[in-house]
């Protein structure tokens, strides 16, 4: 298969089946994991890490570009250290198993807690932003009882980068300290007992496509080092030149690292020798250039419409999974990810699904004609600053991230679903309507309900999506036997009946073990044509009445994450999510997670109402 032109991951191929990455077709990935989907070419990331490790003595991956546990582990396994900007990123790296002495911490407004966490975690370097932070870091280190190695972040007066918002090294920036204040700050750092200054940090910006700004920054830093030695008697062990190495998004030429690295290192070496300075270790902090081109986003086309002479193609993501076009006017390469469609093309704007007119992913891109609902599109080079800047605007969950290698996909981050989006809510939704709708009776099952019950139950099972059972194997006789005793101290079988026909059922059963006798587990269903009318609520209300009547204190159930309506119902009755049983169900169509929910009804006789909700 031909290698594609443009900024696609190394393993991307456009063949007769459409796009494949890492040997897995985009269509398979979309079918299995859904869209929008971020696809990581794992070998591409590894190769980028190896290039940096070969070209520079001490590269650190700036994790903010894309922070997932597997990415951090992968990059660390390839020999890169990591750079974090916040306590959250520091936690993520520590929890990924990276040792503190492989982590550097930067940021223009670190809190006391973050500084203390950094020192206590034994981080390698703290890049101090300003003189006041230096004092606070010294105090934090004293509290921990350690001495912290620090770099001073300076403003080299050279800003570079693709957009004003990501030029960080020029005058007026909020990052670092002006050159004039550096000698005093450094003098102070040498006096403070719990910090040890070891060098200078200068990061000029992001998405830099030329070598010149880096070479210019090196000159500024070398001049500064000369001055620091003369005025303060300080000799730097480390010069950190930051990151910012640009990548291709459309037709740009990415920064040539093979040429830049030796030039930078030589310039430092020669410049230090010429000034009679010791040759410092050089650190670089790539973020974007490690992951940017290694990832693509797959979207599915929904609405296609003409508006004022333009063709607008709406996909199932947008500014929530990639804010860069809106934030920086970033441009992207878009291609069809399905099988090639020979013939004519059409120029379109690819727009998102969010409630903003500016929610445009790519303007004026050429796609095969016609673009139709259901088509798969791939956007290239979406690895950096997309997922890490993602939001849940419009309550759209963040996409799944899947890594591919050698024909095998591996899920790195699952898709954020309705349960995830609810997890910060502190109050349950309003109380349930518990009266069954007119014409419906909820009562304990009786033997003659068996046939009708089985019919209803089988119809829900056949939908496959809502209950565990897909094929009903109960015999009517077995059910008749059960229904003869449908309200006992051990459990209850309830039915909702309309015009003599069973339209819903609920079974609840208490645990047998002595230590879990206070717990009951329930399962329920309502037939498709009767949903949304309060029948489920009426069944649940009756089930909880049974539970209280026999001294059950806690009721548990599981529900598939996609069954948003059922979860809403359960929450109304005080159920809360307690966990996720990952791939707990193996259904005919694949694995399903189950969400474990439980309601606390309270100890009998204590009047505890923790399980009840305000009305
Ligand atoms: C963001 C950042 C980086 C990484 O920038 P990229 O453009 O992703 O390479 C490196 N160093 C510092 C200090 C940063 O703020």
């Amino acid at each position: 298969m031909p290698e594609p032109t443009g900024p696609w991951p190394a393993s991307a191929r456009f063949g007769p089946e459409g796009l494949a990455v890492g040997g897995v077709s985009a269509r398979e990935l979309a079918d299995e994991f859904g869209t929008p989907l971020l696809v990581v070419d794992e070998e591409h990331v590894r190769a980028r890490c190896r290039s940096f490790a070969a070209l520079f003595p001490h590269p650190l991956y700036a994790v903010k570009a894309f922070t997932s546990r597997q990415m951090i582990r992968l990059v660390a396994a390839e020999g890169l250290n990591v750079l974090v900007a916040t306590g959250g990123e520091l936690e993520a790296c520590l929890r990924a198993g990276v040792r503190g002495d492989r982590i550097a911490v930067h940021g223009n407004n670190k809190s006391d807690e973050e500084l203390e966490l950094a020192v206590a975690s034994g981080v390698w370097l703290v890049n101090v932003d300003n003189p006041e932070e230096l004092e606070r870091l010294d105090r934090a280190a004293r509290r921990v009882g350690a001495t912290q190695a620090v770099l001073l972040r300076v403003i080299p007066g050279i800003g570079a980068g693709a957009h004003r918002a990501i030029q960080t090294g020029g005058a007026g920036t909020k990052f670092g300290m002006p050159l004039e204040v550096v000698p005093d700050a450094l003098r102070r750092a040498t006096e403070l007992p719990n910090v040890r200054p070891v060098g200078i940090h200068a990061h000029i910006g992001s998405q830099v496509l030329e070598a010149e700004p880096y070479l210019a920054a090196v000159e500024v830093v070398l001049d500064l080092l000369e001055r620091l030695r003369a005025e303060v008697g300080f000799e730097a062990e480390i010069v950190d030149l930051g990151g910012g190495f640009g990548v291709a998004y459309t037709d740009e030429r990415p920064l040539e690292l093979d040429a830049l690295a030796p030039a930078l290192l030589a310039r430092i070496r020669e410049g230090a020798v010429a000034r009679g300075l010791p040759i410092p270790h050089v650190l670089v902090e790539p973020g974007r250039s490690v992951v940017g081109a290694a990832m693509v986003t797959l979207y599915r086309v929904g609405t296609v419409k003409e508006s004022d002479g333009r063709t607008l193609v709406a996909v199932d993501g947008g500014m929530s999974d990639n804010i860069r076009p809106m934030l920086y006017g970033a441009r992207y390469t878009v291609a069809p990810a399905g099988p090639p469609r020979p013939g004519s093309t059409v120029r379109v704007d690819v727009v998102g699904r969010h409630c903003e007119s500016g929610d445009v992913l790519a303007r004026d891109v050429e796609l095969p004609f016609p673009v139709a609902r259901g088509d798969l599109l791939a956007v290239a080079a979406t690895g950096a600053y997309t997922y890490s800047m993602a939001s849940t605007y419009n309550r759209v969950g963040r996409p799944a991230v899947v890594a591919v290698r050698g024909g095998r996909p591996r899920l790195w981050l699952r898709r954020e679903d309705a349960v995830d989006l609810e997890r910060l809510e502190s109050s349950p939704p309003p109380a349930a309507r518990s009266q069954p709708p007119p014409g419906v009776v909820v009562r304990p099952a009786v033997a003659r309900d068996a046939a009708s019950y089985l019919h209803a139950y089988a119809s829900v099972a056949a939908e496959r999506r809502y209950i565990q059972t897909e094929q009903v194997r109960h015999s009517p006789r077995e059910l008749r036997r059960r229904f003869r005793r449908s309200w006992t101290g051990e459990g209850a079988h309830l039915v909702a009946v309309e015009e003599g026909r069973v339209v819903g059922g609920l079974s609840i059963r208490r645990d047998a073990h002595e230590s879990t006798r206070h717990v009951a587990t329930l399962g329920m269903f309502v037939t498709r044509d009767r949903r949304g009318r309060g029948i489920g609520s009426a069944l649940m209300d009756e089930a909880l009445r049974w539970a209280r009547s026999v001294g059950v204190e806690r009721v548990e159930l599981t529900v598939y994450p996609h069954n948003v309506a059922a979860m809403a119902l359960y929450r109304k009755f005080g159920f809360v999510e307690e966990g996720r049983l990952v791939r707990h169900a193996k259904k005919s169509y694949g694995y399903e997670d189950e969400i474990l929910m439980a309601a606390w009804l309270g100890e009998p006789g204590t009047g505890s109402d923790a399980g009840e909700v305000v009305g």
Side-chain angles (χ1 to χ4, degrees), residues 62 64 83 106 153 201 203 206 243-245 285-288 385:
K64 69 175 190 255
L83 174 74
H106 73 117
R153 176 150 183 185
H201 178 284
H203 168 74
S206 195
F245 312 111
E285 305 167 337
R288 185 192 312 271
Y385 306 107

Side-chain angles (χ1 to χ4, degrees), residues 289-309:
S289 57
V290 174
V291 295
M295 292 163 70
V296 302
T297 308
L298 301 179
Y299 298 99
R300 216 176 269 285
V301 171
T303 302
V304 179
K305 67 170 71 156
E306 300 295 321
S307 179
D308 196 20

Side-chain angles (χ1 to χ4, degrees), residues 252-274:
E252 315 84 326
R253 279 172 58 86
L255 188 59
E256 293 273 1
L257 291 174
D258 293 354
L260 175 70
L264 266 186
L265 296 174
R267 190 69 74 94
I268 295 221
R269 198 170 50 239
E270 287 156 16
V273 170

Side-chain angles (χ1 to χ4, degrees), residues 517-537:
R517 286 282 293 160
H518 65 295
V519 179
T521 305
L522 73 75
M524 63 185 288
F525 69 88
V526 175
T527 58
R528 185 183 206 143
D529 55 344
R530 292 294 185 275
R531 285 176 200 149
R533 296 172 52 205
I535 294 174
S537 293

